[in-house]
Amino acid sequence: MNNVLRGVIAAAEEEGAQLAAEFFRPGGPRGQGGSAPIDREMEERLRAKLQALVPCAFGGEETGAAPAIGAGYDGWMWLVDPHDGTSDFLQGRRGSAVSIGLLRDGVPVLGVVHAPLAPDRGADTIAWAE
């Protein structure tokens, strides 16, 4: 599980860099209200990266459910919110996060939260795996 955790941290931080670039985009981030194109773009990339690590089912806030792409992963599922905090982000507030969990039979076995623009100290990542 340690190799998977390292891969998930890398994926979250890569997408966090994309989120930071969107935040500092000339003219500000794209989107309005609680919807930003970057959210779906990030989730699509995360789905590919995460299912390459563990080819199980995927549930995302932006794109919904996707089936497992590998055999032998019944009961396993990625749960992803690629950009938690979109509304505040679009209003120029820092603190949104990339949130990723891996469940086995409904029980969390891995979790990563990466805040690329934490308001008080820059990028921050919290990670755990059984």
Side-chain angles (χ1 to χ4, degrees):
M1 191 62 72
N2 285 334
N3 288 337
V4 173
L5 180 60
R6 281 192 290 275
V8 176
I9 291 169
E13 291 178 351
E14 288 166 6
E15 293 307 319
Q18 295 295 320
L19 193 59
E22 181 77 12
F23 187 82
F24 293 114
R25 189 176 159 273
R30 299 168 292 150
Q32 57 185 326
S35 179
I38 190 74
D39 296 8
R40 184 177 189 92
E41 296 163 5
M42 289 171 58
E43 185 167 301
E44 289 170 351
R45 290 189 299 263
L46 283 168
R47 183 176 56 235
K49 292 173 186 179
L50 297 174
Q51 285 188 312
L53 292 168
V54 178
C56 63
F58 180 94
E61 182 176 336
E62 303 300 320
T63 62
I69 60 171
Y73 288 95
D74 291 340
W76 289 75
M77 180 175 227
W78 290 108
L79 290 179
V80 173
D81 184 346
H83 183 197
D84 188 19
T86 303
S87 295
D88 284 336
F89 176 85
L90 291 173
Q91 294 175 31
R93 295 188 189 104
R94 297 173 179 233
S96 57
V98 179
S99 302
I100 302 170
L102 178 61
L103 306 180
R104 183 177 58 216
D105 296 324
V107 176
V109 295
L110 178 148
V112 174
V113 177
H114 174 64
L117 299 164
D120 58 345
R121 64 183 166 279
D124 191 20
T125 302
I126 300 168
W128 166 87
E130 71 171 10

